[in-house]
Amino acid sequence: MIRVLLAEDQGMVRGALATLLSLEDDIEVIGEAADGDEALAVAARTRPDVALLDIEMPGRNGIDTAAALRKALPDCRVIILTTFGRPGYLRSAMEAGASAFLVKDSPARELAAAIRRVLAGERVIDPALAAAALSAGPNPLSPREREALAAAADGSTIGDVARKLHLSEGTVRNYLSAAIHKTGARNRIEAVRTAQRQGWL
């Protein structure tokens, strides 16, 4: 049996995925979690063969959880499941050690097939998303620019962002200006939207 851990913050979706996977003769869901930290705790206890991780979870997201899981349990294969097929997310997931990246609107049979394929050592990526990621290119934002843009996403002033990040206002202005330029935006609100749409934040 392929032992699977399922991490998804929406209980109904998690239950539906567990039910679908239990219909497969060779797959057993041996643990469930509602967030990244719980997924790591359950994984340490159950030692799954494959972990299915939602990308958007409270606290530690799926990509950060994937990286931590690959360090803690190197033999565990990671599949990222997402509603958001953003090119930047795909790149980040692969860099974090994920073996597969699938959007949730894929047919259920593809998920079971992907579990078997990653266990056999293959990589499985949604083809449309792979093409989009290649055309989008790498994330142009530096870690500090991403941090400043994320801190400004809620409409915070330059002063607020500077206090949050323990930086001078001039430094924050420089990071935001660079982020606006690199995203091809007219202002920071537009830069935030572009970065979120691409999965760069």
Side-chain angles (χ1 to χ4, degrees), residues 2 4 26-27 49-50 52 77-79 98-102 106 109-127:
I2 302 170
V4 173
D26 58 341
I27 295 174
D49 301 312
V50 177
L52 298 180
R77 300 284 186 260
V78 174
I79 295 176
S99 298
F101 193 98
L102 301 172
S106 301
R109 68 182 177 280
E110 285 185 17
L111 179 57
I115 289 170
R116 295 181 188 104
R117 288 173 64 190
V118 299
L119 206 58
E122 292 182 48
R123 282 208 163 188
V124 183
I125 300 168
D126 180 87

Side-chain angles (χ1 to χ4, degrees), residues 16-160:
L17 286 169
T19 301
L20 281 170
L21 291 174
S22 69
L23 299 174
E24 302 293 327
D25 294 337
D26 58 341
I27 295 174
E28 178 188 10
V29 176
I30 48 95
E32 296 182 31
D35 60 49
D37 290 326
E38 187 182 2
L40 291 172
V42 173
R45 196 170 63 246
T46 60
R47 306 190 75 79
D49 301 312
V50 177
L52 298 180
L53 307 177
D54 180 28
I55 210 164
E56 298 273 334
M57 293 189 286
R60 192 191 296 256
N61 68 28
I63 291 170
D64 293 341
T65 303
L69 195 53
R70 293 292 291 150
K71 278 185 188 162
L73 297 171
D75 292 335
C76 178
R77 300 284 186 260
V78 174
I79 295 176
I80 296 286
L81 287 173
T82 183
T83 308
F84 310 103
R86 295 175 181 158
Y89 281 172
L90 171 58
R91 283 183 179 275
S92 298
M94 294 298 111
E95 287 165 7
S99 298
F101 193 98
L102 301 172
V103 288
K104 287 181 186 171
D105 60 3
S106 301
R109 68 182 177 280
E110 285 185 17
L111 179 57
I115 289 170
R116 295 181 188 104
R117 288 173 64 190
V118 299
L119 206 58
E122 292 182 48
R123 282 208 163 188
V124 183
I125 300 168
D126 180 87
L129 192 55
L134 286 172
S135 65
N139 185 344
L141 303 174
S142 73
R144 280 302 213 170
E145 289 160 3
R146 284 197 302 272
E147 194 176 29
L149 206 53
D154 62 359
S156 294
T157 65
I158 298 285
D160 293 336

